[in-house]
Amino acid sequence: MKNDFSKAASVAIIAAVYALATVAGILLFAGIRERMPEMWALLVADVVATVIVWGFGLLFRNVSVYDPYWSVAPPVMFTAWAFYKGCWSLPVILLLIAVWYWGVRLTGNWYFTFKGLAHEDWRYSKYRTTMSPALFHLTNFGGLNMMPTLLVFACMLPGFGLFDPWAGANLVTWLGFAVCLSSATIQLVADTQMHRFRAANPGKICEAGLWKHGRHPNYFGEVQMWWGLWIMYASLNGVDWLILAPLAMTALFLFISIPLMERRQLQNKPGYAEYRKKTRILI
């Protein structure tokens, strides 16, 4: 399909796609929740919603249709779960505040950088042009759409563990909440600094503000967000196997997202190698 849509039209189309995916997920969950454990039913609904978004990405020949899913799905799913369970305990309220703050901020950043359906993220375009069609479509479905959905769902499991109507918040719960808020704020500051720097210094390496102290402060904030959510969970449930969720998110950024971005920066920006030598990777 030809993608000569304006930014406003593109955003409206993506909003409609996500509304369709949300309705489909809700209806599916309602139809299967009595046939399997509720959390499995929710996962199936999440997967089907992702398939719908993936399908429209194929229709528009643009993998970036999926990009907002990362920040849109958690707030919507946690809020829907609160209504479904009728659970509005203090830990749940803190969770919703933190996740909505993070999600709105991250989605806002997506909107700010989104150029329309005629533009596809450079990573996806690279895969499209360097891979065979069969390998690209396999990577698109499994690696670029479904894998992030499954990883985010796994990282949300500690949040679902907070849905106890009788639970209260202790000092560590509040600490986790503060970590989540600070994480989203770090991302907000880092992205704002980068946008302003790029506008004033196109093509140059940003070493201003947080970027002076870490090469990927926005990624640091993202990783920290999921650790904050886990801290809230651990404050009420102790340390168990769900610690694998934030560990997996950390591994994604350390071993996939950051190396991919660093290779691009080394190729496109003279002086980045020197910047790497004197600046920490995350913290």
Side-chain angles (χ1 to χ4, degrees):
M1 177 177 289
K2 192 174 181 181
N3 295 338
D4 54 347
F5 302 104
S6 66
K7 178 174 178 175
S10 297
V11 170
I13 290 170
I14 290 178
V17 169
Y18 277 59
L20 174 63
T22 300
V23 171
I26 291 172
L27 292 177
L28 179 61
F29 176 80
I32 66 175
R33 61 187 173 88
E34 295 181 355
R35 305 177 189 176
M36 61 180 70
E38 290 177 328
M39 197 54 58
W40 282 104
L42 185 62
L43 175 59
V44 171
D46 193 16
V47 166
V48 169
T50 299
V51 170
I52 292 173
V53 174
W54 166 77
F56 278 96
L58 289 182
L59 177 65
F60 293 107
R61 288 186 54 81
N62 193 327
V63 183
S64 290
V65 170
Y66 177 82
D67 284 349
Y69 200 93
W70 182 286
S71 57
V72 169
V76 171
M77 292 174 66
F78 278 135
T79 304
W81 199 251
F83 278 106
Y84 172 66
K85 289 293 187 179
C87 181
W88 301 97
S89 62
L90 180 55
V92 170
I93 292 173
L94 295 179
L95 169 71
L96 294 178
I97 292 172
V99 173
W100 273 101
Y101 174 43
W102 164 82
V104 169
R105 193 229 60 92
L106 193 54
T107 305
N109 188 66
W110 166 82
Y111 176 81
F112 181 81
T113 58
F114 182 57
K115 299 178 182 177
L117 284 170
H119 175 78
E120 186 176 50
D121 186 278
W122 62 270
R123 292 164 292 189
Y124 311 148
S125 298
K126 178 181 178 181
Y127 297 147
R128 191 184 294 276
T129 57
T130 58
M131 294 179 174
S132 67
L135 181 58
F136 169 74
H137 286 297
L138 180 63
T139 301
N140 177 21
F141 178 78
L144 304 180
N145 283 257
M146 197 55 65
M147 187 275 287
T149 287
L150 296 178
L151 178 59
V152 169
F153 188 88
C155 288
M156 289 173 63
L157 291 178
F160 289 115
L162 295 173
F163 282 80
D164 178 352
W166 308 110
N170 56 43
L171 183 61
V172 180
T173 311
W174 283 97
L175 173 63
F177 175 66
V179 170
C180 290
L181 294 186
S182 66
S183 302
T185 302
I186 287 171
Q187 290 180 296
L188 173 62
V189 172
D191 286 335
T192 300
Q193 289 173 342
M194 176 59 76
H195 295 324
R196 290 176 177 173
F197 182 87
R198 284 178 174 173
N201 307 275
K204 294 185 178 181
I205 300 170
C206 180
E207 298 184 59
L210 295 177
W211 301 86
K212 180 180 180 180
H213 305 286
R215 303 199 300 272
H216 304 281
N218 51 342
Y219 288 167
F220 170 73
E222 185 65 23
V223 170
Q224 183 179 293
M225 170 66 191
W226 298 103
W227 279 104
L229 192 152
W230 176 81
I231 291 172
M232 293 178 67
Y233 166 82
S235 73
L236 303 178
N237 300 279
V239 178
D240 56 22
W241 67 274
L242 284 180
I243 195 174
L244 294 175
L247 282 173
M249 184 65 76
T250 304
L252 171 71
F253 281 93
L254 286 178
F255 300 114
I256 298 179
S257 299
I258 289 176
L260 185 63
M261 178 63 73
E262 296 250 299
R263 285 195 294 269
R264 177 177 170 82
Q265 297 290 69
L266 286 169
Q267 292 173 356
N268 297 336
K269 292 190 176 181
Y272 193 80
E274 185 63 28
Y275 173 62
R276 287 183 70 188
K277 293 178 182 179
K278 64 183 180 180
T279 311
R280 293 184 292 272
I281 187 171
L282 274 181
I283 300 174

